Amino acid sequence: MAISTPALKPSWNPLRCGGTALPTNLLLMAKLIALTLLLTNHVRLIPDPFLPFLPVFDRIGSPPAFQSALQTVFLAAAVALLFNRYVRASCLALGGAILIGVISSKAYYGNNKTFCGLILFLTGLYEPGSEPWLLRAQFALVYFGAGLNKLLDADWRSGLFMEHWATERLHQAAYIALASWLPPMFLAKLLCWGTLLTELAMSAAFLIRRWFAAGIVASLLFQSSLLLFTGSTFTMFFYATQAALLMFVDWPKSRWLVIYDGDCGFCARSKRWVERFDLEGLLEWRPFQSGAGHAHGITDAEASERIYLVAGKKIYSGFRAFRMMLLFNPVTYFVIALLLGLPRGDASTYRRIVVAALLAFLLPPFVPIGEWGYRLVARNRYRLSANSACAVNPVER
């Protein structure tokens, strides 16, 4: 039986994403983009210098005043969005400010800025209760356009682009070393064709619901590999494309049941710690001693060995259960945004390390390592409870 999620009203807490006119996943996506825009001090770029595409902007009497007005709207909308105030209007205003900045400055123009502006603006146009297909189509179009553009470019088809970019621009040591062991241009062609085919495949995956999961994994791997290869976030593109993947996630509409060992002091402390950051009230914790697992086919013997998470029709246990709790907690994504967006200057090595660590945590090969760590803690949890009130190990009863 589904457990109804508590009704939430818009909160002033920027870490909260429930109770607004936008579903949790779309609001979280928009707030992450707004947060990274602020962390990277993007406002200073809007629109500088003033070199408009359209003649109508030439009639503006004072470009500095125009810039100040646009920057004020940008900041006000970003802050309002983070604090859950008029979230749809804030998305429209923030996205509109960026798009106006794009068409009013040829120097400011860039695909990554246009993408951010469109994603935010289309989020503001979202109709509550509907599927965000307009947003998803925009995201798919970005990958389709990128793949098609490369396919029509002779330098991409021949591998010349990658060869010049990796050797002359990036001086990518790993690429240069590996290419020296392979036939001429082989690695360059492999990367060029792999890139454009991946982009075209993702554009299709993001239009078909049953392929969403594959598209999310492919995009995570693709964008993370690009950052690891180049060390660059391409201004906002890495942040925005990763945040935008949330539009393809079905966020829980009912509470999840967590079944844990109620006689373990360490487990109780862990529960309180997780609850402190479960600001949306997604998780309901019940001790296995209450028989909560029986209805889901989980025996007391099984539940005494590891934690279980009943997420709708799916059941996770151990490390996988904790990973799902993290992945469906907005606080996790705000922490990641801060980790990646705060560093100033040349932080390419730092970002490579952070992204590599996050990628490893998410990928299936890490699961055995995570499970080993979980079993190690689980076996010793009663020792870790030495300073807390802890009943006798139920296995020994």
Side-chain angles (χ1 to χ4, degrees):
M1 181 177 177
I3 307 170
S4 300
T5 304
L8 297 173
K9 294 181 179 180
S11 167
W12 283 91
N13 187 340
L15 300 178
R16 295 277 293 270
C17 294
T20 74
L22 290 173
T24 299
N25 59 325
L26 293 188
L27 179 56
L28 177 57
M29 173 193 73
K31 291 173 77 167
L32 289 172
I33 295 174
L35 179 60
T36 49
L37 285 167
L38 293 174
L39 289 174
T40 56
N41 199 21
H42 192 85
V43 67
R44 76 189 190 283
L45 302 176
I46 296 180
D48 187 26
F50 184 73
L51 296 169
F53 283 96
L54 302 178
V56 66
F57 286 98
D58 291 326
R59 301 176 184 176
I60 293 174
S62 174
F66 172 75
Q67 182 185 33
S68 296
L70 210 56
Q71 290 174 336
T72 299
V73 171
F74 178 100
L75 289 172
V79 171
L81 180 58
L82 287 175
F83 285 94
N84 302 312
R85 301 300 100 187
Y86 310 102
V87 291
R88 293 176 65 197
S90 296
C91 285
L92 287 171
L94 182 56
I98 295 172
L99 293 174
I100 291 173
V102 165
I103 60 177
S104 63
S105 176
K106 295 176 183 177
Y108 174 72
Y109 168 80
N111 288 335
N112 69 91
K113 296 151 191 166
T114 306
F115 176 72
C116 283
L118 286 171
I119 289 295
L120 288 165
F121 196 81
L122 292 175
T123 302
L125 295 177
Y126 169 80
E127 287 293 331
S130 64
E131 289 280 346
W133 284 110
L134 194 58
L135 273 166
R136 291 169 180 168
Q138 168 60 33
F139 192 76
L141 184 61
V142 168
Y143 274 124
F144 178 76
L148 182 62
N149 183 60
K150 294 177 178 63
L151 184 61
L152 297 176
D153 189 326
D155 286 346
W156 270 92
R157 295 196 304 272
S158 67
L160 284 174
F161 175 88
M162 186 63 66
E163 179 71 12
H164 176 77
W165 190 40
T167 58
E168 301 299 325
R169 296 286 300 277
L170 298 176
H171 305 290
Q172 231 289 341
Y175 173 90
I176 294 170
L178 184 57
S180 68
W181 288 87
L182 298 171
M185 298 299 293
F186 177 83
L187 184 58
K189 290 180 180 178
L190 180 66
L191 291 177
C192 278
W193 279 94
T195 297
L196 69 89
L197 291 176
T198 298
E199 288 177 333
L200 291 173
M202 286 191 293
S203 70
F206 287 127
L207 292 175
I208 303 172
R209 175 173 284 279
R210 66 175 178 274
W211 293 354
F212 282 178
I216 290 172
V217 173
S219 185
L220 279 171
L221 288 172
F222 180 77
Q223 295 296 337
S224 298
S225 299
L226 192 58
L227 184 144
L228 293 172
F229 186 76
T230 66
S232 173
T233 61
F234 298 94
T235 312
M236 280 294 300
F237 198 69
F238 175 80
Y239 303 121
T241 53
Q242 301 305 82
L245 293 176
L246 288 163
M247 71 175 74
F248 300 99
V249 175
D250 290 324
W251 207 264
K253 292 182 173 61
S254 60
R255 300 185 74 186
W256 286 355
L257 176 63
V258 184
I259 301 169
Y260 72 105
D261 184 354
D263 284 341
C264 169
F266 174 76
C267 303
R269 289 202 305 272
S270 300
K271 166 183 173 290
R272 289 193 297 270
W273 187 86
V274 173
E275 284 180 322
R276 186 176 297 119
F277 296 99
D278 180 23
L279 303 178
E280 307 298 336
L282 174 64
L283 305 175
E284 175 166 323
W285 296 72
R286 292 182 185 173
F288 79 81
Q289 290 87 347
S290 68
H294 298 169
H296 305 283
I298 302 168
T299 67
D300 287 352
E302 291 172 329
S304 69
E305 295 293 327
R306 59 205 291 113
I307 195 170
Y308 279 84
L309 174 68
V310 181
K313 296 180 180 179
K314 295 183 179 180
I315 298 177
Y316 304 89
S317 68
F319 168 74
R320 290 179 175 87
F322 274 109
R323 187 170 65 174
M324 289 299 291
M325 291 183 216
L326 285 173
L327 289 176
F328 283 87
N329 188 331
V331 175
T332 300
Y333 298 94
F334 290 120
V335 171
I336 293 172
L338 289 171
L339 285 173
L340 291 172
L342 271 177
R344 294 286 185 266
D346 184 11
S348 57
T349 301
Y350 164 80
R351 288 196 179 93
R352 283 185 170 114
I353 293 172
V354 173
V355 168
L358 291 170
L359 202 59
F361 176 77
L362 291 171
L363 292 178
F366 185 79
V367 171
I369 300 173
E371 283 293 341
W372 174 83
Y374 177 84
R375 288 194 299 270
L376 181 65
V377 173
R379 284 197 302 267
N380 294 281
R381 68 186 187 273
Y382 290 100
R383 294 179 184 176
L384 295 171
S385 304
N387 295 324
S388 63
C390 183
V392 178
N393 186 334
V395 176
E396 299 175 350
R397 286 178 179 174

